[in-house]
Amino acid sequence: MSEKIYIFDTTLRDAEQVPGCQLNTIEKIEVARQLEKLGVDVIEAGFPASSPGDFNSVVEISKAVKRPIICALTRAVEKDIDIAAEALKYAVHPRIHTGIGTSDYHIYEKLNSTPEKIIERAVAAVRHARKYVDDVEFYAEDAGRTAPEFLARVVEAVIDAGATVVNIPDTTGYCLPHEYGEKIAYLVNNVPNIKKAIISTHCHNDLGMATANTLSGVIAGARQVEVTVNGLGERAGNTAMEEVVMAVACHSNMDYELGINTREILNTSKLVSSLMRMPVQPNKAIVGRNAFAHSSGIHQDGVLKSRQTYEIIDPEEVGVDQSSIILTARSGRAALKHHLKDIGIYPEPDELDDIYQKFLSLADKKKDISIRDLEILAGMGNKENKVYKLEALQVMCGTSTIPTATVCVSFGGDTFTESASGNGPVDAAFNAIKNITKRRFHVEEYLVQAITRGSDDLGKVHVQISHKGRMYYGFGANTDVVSASVESLLDAIGKIS
Ligand code: KIV
Ligand code: ZN
């Protein structure tokens, strides 16, 4: 029978403490509910002693989410533990996560202490936490840079004191995969009472090794992994949940039971990204926009013949509708034929050759080939000019005004003007465009980037909209981000056939 690996999600604690990622209690509950749906075993809901907001979030998440264990972080300080226990009073399955630094840097420089006193404090904290709950996890902060012999002494002592889980954080993301694995193996082989507790990994990504280190820890005997959605977290982040889950799912020789509904991975990623206002990099493993997009001709041809030639994961397994074949100057005939078929055009081989030559010269000039471009290349485009052009834009916003936008757009030889209000100037302008184009669409992704760093900089806006089950991308660039946003939306709408 396959062994269980417990998924401990710390998005709401380790990732949430990143500047700019703060969530309010309602948002945290939404994320916690989604994590429950995803199937995680433990939700680290916060650090209650750190602020009244964190305390309240742990209380409310404990009330709202019943299946997973709800965990609260503390330092090895009695008061912290008392506060955590109070915050967890509504949790069906409460866990207190307490700990202290164990590396020389922490013992001597941060805590001004000695190894013996650290063990005493660790044991006292675990004993105190056990007065409140049966499930106590201990973390040895900076275990990644702690000598294995001392780490083994700490771990043995805290298990004797009642710890049910021992967390071995690579707090600074320093370890190499084989070193981290050896650290876990050392504990498995040298701590006499190790079988009384679960070993947990907690890896940071400073050297880009977090997922590799986590898997190395699992292979060596860890049975809990601490992860965050999209790998968010302090500095370079924590281990990405989606990477560990899919690495295990893809390898039949890693016969572990995870209990994760992988089809909820993309939904979870999108929710966290939008609530924490942290866009996912396009090439991010599993959840990036390009993770299942193929653009070179050789790859496209292969994927169209058999998906497995260039894909190790079926996109539907992680909640992505399908892999996408992007038309670029490097696409081959197979990709072009695939897209033409999608819009109901079935050319004879010599017609395809002809369309392909025209396509190549257009693709050399234009990065993004739209359905409408294909129709024109295939001689099917109707003559009506469907491209929307922004003629004028006026926005009114500020602290004491309802944001309102008036947008003037020309298409098909006419000019149309509409005004609308919204949550902000961009939302107001988008609402005005909806009125003008009469298109029903949903904005799926909206990303503003500055090209350099000054406030006078050119803003680039990428937008992704869905219309009748299909996705359309639009792009705009302008020194005024509202204008860039409007241009990007018009670009995307113009691609709807
Ligand atoms: O990285 C770390 O050491 C931590 C602990 C507080 C668990 O986040
Ligand atoms: Zn951490």
Side-chain angles (χ1 to χ4, degrees):
M1 215 178 78
S2 38
E3 277 191 69
K4 169 87 180 153
I5 302 290
Y6 294 91
I7 306 287
F8 175 117
D9 185 279
T10 183
T11 308
L12 294 175
R13 198 279 300 170
D14 220 345
E16 207 265 342
Q17 67 198 33
V18 172
C21 283
Q22 273 72 36
L23 302 178
N24 62 37
T25 302
I26 293 171
E27 292 169 327
K28 285 187 191 171
I29 292 172
E30 201 179 340
V31 172
R33 288 207 166 112
Q34 178 61 30
L35 291 171
E36 182 177 40
K37 198 166 167 197
L38 178 71
V40 306
D41 299 288
V42 187
I43 295 176
E44 188 161 49
F47 178 6
S50 69
S51 72
D54 246 40
F55 179 90
N56 193 38
S57 298
V58 175
V59 172
E60 294 307 324
I61 291 170
S62 300
K63 288 182 191 163
V65 174
K66 298 294 176 197
R67 188 196 47 79
I69 293 170
I70 305 298
C71 178
L73 186 84
T74 80
R75 294 167 296 177
V77 170
E78 278 201 2
K79 186 87 189 124
D80 276 22
I81 296 168
D82 297 339
I83 295 171
E86 174 69 17
L88 286 168
K89 72 176 176 216
Y90 297 103
V92 178
H93 308 289
R95 175 182 293 179
I96 293 178
H97 188 189
T98 189
I100 195 162
T102 53
S103 69
D104 285 355
Y105 296 104
H106 282 244
I107 299 174
Y108 299 109
E109 287 165 38
K110 178 176 137 183
L111 301 163
N112 192 20
S113 186
T114 63
E116 297 313 314
K117 284 193 188 134
I118 291 297
I119 296 186
E120 270 170 37
R121 279 188 64 182
V123 165
V126 171
R127 286 211 179 110
H128 191 63
R130 279 298 304 253
K131 289 183 196 153
Y132 292 110
V133 291
D134 292 335
D135 190 2
V136 173
E137 174 167 341
F138 175 83
Y139 65 86
E141 195 177 4
D142 205 13
R145 294 185 298 172
T146 301
E149 299 75 14
F150 180 62
L151 190 59
R153 282 184 58 206
V154 176
V155 166
E156 183 180 352
V158 295
I159 295 175
D160 268 347
T164 44
V165 181
V166 283
N167 178 10
I168 311 302
D170 183 19
T171 306
T172 57
Y174 170 76
C175 290
L176 296 174
H178 72 279
E179 291 169 345
Y180 191 74
E182 281 163 14
K183 205 166 270 280
I184 302 295
Y186 187 89
L187 298 176
V188 171
N189 296 323
N190 293 281
V191 174
N193 55 2
I194 196 72
K195 287 210 162 64
K196 290 189 184 159
I198 290 172
I199 301 178
S200 183
T201 66
H202 179 113
C203 300
H204 279 264
N205 204 30
D206 298 65
L207 293 173
M209 306 279 178
T211 298
N213 286 350
T214 298
L215 293 172
S216 182
V218 167
I219 292 165
R223 288 295 170 265
Q224 176 178 282
V225 291
E226 303 197 3
V227 292
T228 60
V229 176
N230 300 337
L232 292 174
E234 289 267 13
R235 307 179 308 279
N238 288 55
T239 305
M241 171 277 299
E242 61 278 4
E243 293 175 12
V244 173
V245 167
M246 291 318 292
V248 171
C250 279
H251 288 90
S252 51
N253 57 345
M254 292 191 105
D255 184 20
Y256 302 117
E257 187 208 319
L258 297 180
I260 292 289
N261 175 4
T262 59
R263 286 175 192 257
E264 285 299 324
I265 285 181
L266 188 68
N267 283 343
T268 314
S269 161
K270 283 188 167 175
L271 179 72
V272 168
S273 163
S274 76
L275 291 179
M276 290 196 164
R277 296 154 204 95
M278 283 294 240
V280 175
Q281 73 192 58
N283 60 326
K284 167 77 185 64
I286 320 293
V287 292
R289 187 200 304 143
N290 291 349
F292 298 98
H294 303 275
S295 60
S296 91
I298 296 172
H299 289 204
Q300 292 182 334
D301 183 49
V303 169
L304 289 169
K305 285 178 177 144
S306 161
R307 195 189 52 74
Q308 281 96 332
T309 48
Y310 289 99
E311 269 178 7
I312 55 168
I313 297 167
D314 180 345
E316 288 181 6
E317 280 296 307
V318 293
V320 176
D321 283 347
Q322 51 186 300
S323 32
S324 47
I325 303 289
I326 313 283
L327 284 178
T328 70
R330 271 166 284 123
S331 300
R333 284 175 179 71
L336 179 64
K337 193 169 158 193
H338 168 80
H339 277 271
L340 289 171
K341 190 172 125 211
D342 258 9
I343 53 172
I345 301 173
Y346 299 86
E348 294 300 325
D350 55 332
E351 285 172 325
L352 180 66
D353 274 348
D354 183 45
I355 302 172
Y356 184 62
Q357 293 314 322
K358 289 191 221 156
F359 159 75
L360 284 184
S361 56
L362 181 65
D364 265 343
K365 295 185 205 105
K366 195 169 183 253
K367 250 210 222 139
D368 200 358
I369 305 288
S370 67
I371 289 172
R372 169 129 181 93
D373 292 328
L374 287 186
E375 285 175 343
I376 292 170
L377 290 177
M380 301 267 299
N382 68 40
K383 300 286 173 279
E384 181 201 355
N385 179 10
K386 273 194 197 165
V387 178
Y388 300 98
K389 185 159 177 274
L390 175 64
E391 298 292 347
L393 167 71
Q394 195 178 37
V395 288
M396 228 171 62
C397 60
T399 47
S400 52
T401 325
I402 295 175
T404 312
T406 302
V407 183
C408 175
V409 170
S410 65
F411 67 96
D414 281 319
T415 302
F416 302 84
T417 303
E418 285 282 347
S419 297
S421 56
N423 285 338
V426 173
D427 190 43
F430 279 18
N431 288 337
I433 291 173
K434 273 187 186 154
N435 296 341
I436 292 175
T437 61
K438 310 275 186 276
R439 290 287 196 190
R440 292 171 76 85
F441 58 84
H442 187 251
V443 177
E444 300 288 344
E445 199 177 305
Y446 169 73
L447 176 68
V448 184
Q449 289 171 309
I451 290 171
T452 56
R453 280 162 186 262
S455 59
D456 57 348
D457 191 11
L458 199 62
K460 289 198 296 181
V461 176
H462 298 265
V463 74
Q464 188 187 356
I465 59 172
S466 58
H467 170 77
K468 294 190 180 161
R470 294 190 68 128
M471 293 293 181
Y472 300 89
Y473 292 96
F475 173 76
N478 201 303
T479 45
D480 166 16
V481 285
V482 186
S483 299
S485 305
V486 166
E487 283 166 13
S488 71
L489 183 64
L490 291 174
D491 184 36
I493 298 175
K495 290 172 185 166
I496 298 176
S497 49

